[in-house]
Amino acid sequence: MTFGEFVKLYEEDVRPRLKLNTWLTKEHIIATKILPYFSDKRVDEITSTDIIRWENELSAARTTTGEPYAPTYLHTVSNQMSAILNHAVRFYGLASNPMLKVGKMGAKQSGEMRFWTKSEYLRFSEAVMDKPLSFAAFETLYWTGVREGELLALVPKDFDFGRAKLRITKSYQRIRGADVITCPKTPKSVRTIDLPCFLCEELAEYVELDEIADGERMFPVTKGYLYHEMDRGSRIAGVERIRIHDIRHSHVSLLIDLGFSVLAIADRMGHESIDITYRYAHLFPTKQGRMAKQLDEEGRGWR
């Protein structure tokens, strides 16, 4: 069987188990970055040398703007190729995955995590205060740490303003020109978030003034609108333009500064504790100095 033929089989097996937007991302990577190299080659004839040449060619390739592909994107492409070959090994008798000897190109995480300090965010929020929807949206992102898809799926009945709680149960996607509401990213993402009182007051007022019905989306815009507002607000406020998702990092950074535990932060963000530890370890205050001091005191007691 050729690799192109096997990809059709892979799609039949895998696609029904995935959310539509997840499959469409995979489909694009397969069609543009993998099939052009391997489509006509027999699956059992793909060697580690073939993988090396493919990875080297992609690493040297450039986008339409002349930039190299981001290391995290190259790593995602490698993951997809490996997933297809692993599927062939597990279910269709391929002897081994040739990528195991080579390793994956790119990097799993981007090198530097970007985020705003509280003072930077406050300058930005003041800059977008002229648009009530924008102000309410970014206030929600910064003070709750929700993902942008979770934000855009919110309706008033997700909030209990009296008890200052927000229930996250869904996510918004724009797929092939249509608004699609899906389940959240992971089962852990279904969660209840306690809200600061000032945010409850702001959002309740926003809902009332805009006369938003219980089942109506509070922020009936796309992610593109938020990107445009990030550009505008950052420029006016004179702060570094970060990604929308980096506001989530900014919320975690704030919680770490306030002294909350890994477990408490993970529960609020819809992550496993180990993910918070891995991604944000460099932001937690070091205990090494205190450890050394106490060890010194212990050691001196025996001398």
Side-chain angles (χ1 to χ4, degrees):
M1 181 180 287
T2 66
F3 185 84
E5 291 169 337
F6 183 74
V7 163
K8 294 177 183 177
L9 191 59
Y10 173 78
E11 178 179 355
E12 291 176 8
D13 291 345
V14 172
R15 183 170 181 172
R17 301 168 179 263
L18 302 175
K19 293 193 293 185
L20 178 58
N21 58 304
T22 301
W23 171 254
L24 291 177
T25 299
K26 285 177 168 288
E27 184 179 56
H28 178 76
I29 289 174
I30 292 169
T32 61
K33 301 297 182 295
I34 299 177
L35 284 178
Y37 296 85
F38 298 107
S39 181
D40 297 329
K41 197 170 187 64
R42 275 181 43 171
V43 179
D44 61 348
E45 291 181 348
I46 297 175
T47 66
S48 297
T49 303
D50 293 326
I51 298 297
I52 290 172
R53 289 171 178 165
W54 168 67
E55 289 187 346
N56 287 344
E57 192 164 334
L58 279 180
S59 297
R62 294 294 181 268
T63 66
T64 54
T65 60
E67 298 294 323
Y69 290 111
T72 49
Y73 179 72
L74 292 175
H75 193 78
T76 299
V77 174
S78 279
N79 280 343
Q80 182 55 66
M81 180 62 173
S82 188
I84 295 172
L85 294 172
N86 281 337
H87 194 77
V89 171
R90 289 171 186 160
F91 303 108
Y92 293 97
L94 184 65
S96 64
N97 180 348
M99 291 193 72
L100 294 177
K101 296 180 180 179
V102 178
K104 298 173 182 177
M105 59 184 164
K108 186 175 182 179
Q109 298 287 340
S110 56
E112 181 181 0
M113 182 177 293
R114 302 165 67 194
F115 57 90
W116 280 332
T117 63
K118 186 178 75 170
S119 62
E120 288 174 325
Y121 169 71
L122 292 176
R123 285 160 56 192
F124 170 84
S125 66
E126 185 177 353
V128 297
M129 199 176 289
D130 59 327
K131 295 184 179 181
L133 186 152
S134 299
F135 178 71
F138 285 109
E139 282 285 272
T140 306
L141 286 171
Y142 182 77
W143 294 107
T144 68
V146 296
R147 301 175 177 91
E148 56 190 305
E150 295 169 346
L151 170 87
L152 295 177
L154 291 177
V155 297
K157 64 182 179 182
D158 292 324
F159 290 84
D160 184 338
F161 291 121
R163 297 173 59 221
K165 292 184 182 295
L166 167 61
R167 183 69 176 161
I168 299 295
T169 60
K170 53 193 177 298
S171 184
Y172 166 90
Q173 305 289 336
R174 185 76 174 171
I175 300 176
R176 293 175 174 169
D179 295 334
V180 179
I181 302 297
T182 68
C183 57
K185 186 175 182 181
T186 67
K188 186 79 172 177
S189 298
V190 177
R191 63 200 188 278
T192 298
I193 300 173
D194 289 332
L195 304 174
C197 292
F198 76 85
L199 182 62
C200 281
E201 294 170 2
E202 290 176 351
L203 294 178
E205 181 180 359
Y206 168 69
V207 168
E208 182 180 356
L209 291 177
D210 278 41
E211 299 181 340
I212 303 172
D214 277 351
E216 184 181 351
R217 283 176 59 210
M218 290 173 58
F219 308 108
V221 296
T222 64
K223 294 178 181 180
Y225 174 87
L226 296 179
Y227 299 158
H228 172 78
E229 286 297 275
M230 280 289 283
D231 288 337
R232 184 178 75 93
S234 299
R235 184 175 62 254
I236 295 172
V239 297
E240 178 190 11
R241 203 298 194 183
I242 60 176
R243 302 174 306 162
I244 302 292
H245 191 73
D246 290 327
I247 300 179
R248 185 169 162 85
H249 296 323
S250 303
H251 183 68
V252 175
S253 173
L254 177 63
L255 295 178
I256 292 172
D257 284 344
L258 293 174
F260 290 101
S261 69
V262 171
L263 184 61
I265 295 172
D267 187 54
R268 186 174 181 84
M269 304 304 290
H271 270 306
E272 298 292 343
S273 297
I274 192 170
D275 294 331
I276 294 294
T277 302
Y278 177 74
R279 296 182 186 187
Y280 301 99
H282 61 291
L283 296 180
F284 283 91
T286 179
K287 302 289 192 299
Q288 291 288 341
R290 185 158 61 86
M291 287 179 187
K293 183 178 180 181
Q294 288 188 227
L295 288 170
D296 183 61
E297 292 173 357
E298 291 293 324
R300 287 180 186 275
W302 290 93
R303 285 170 171 77

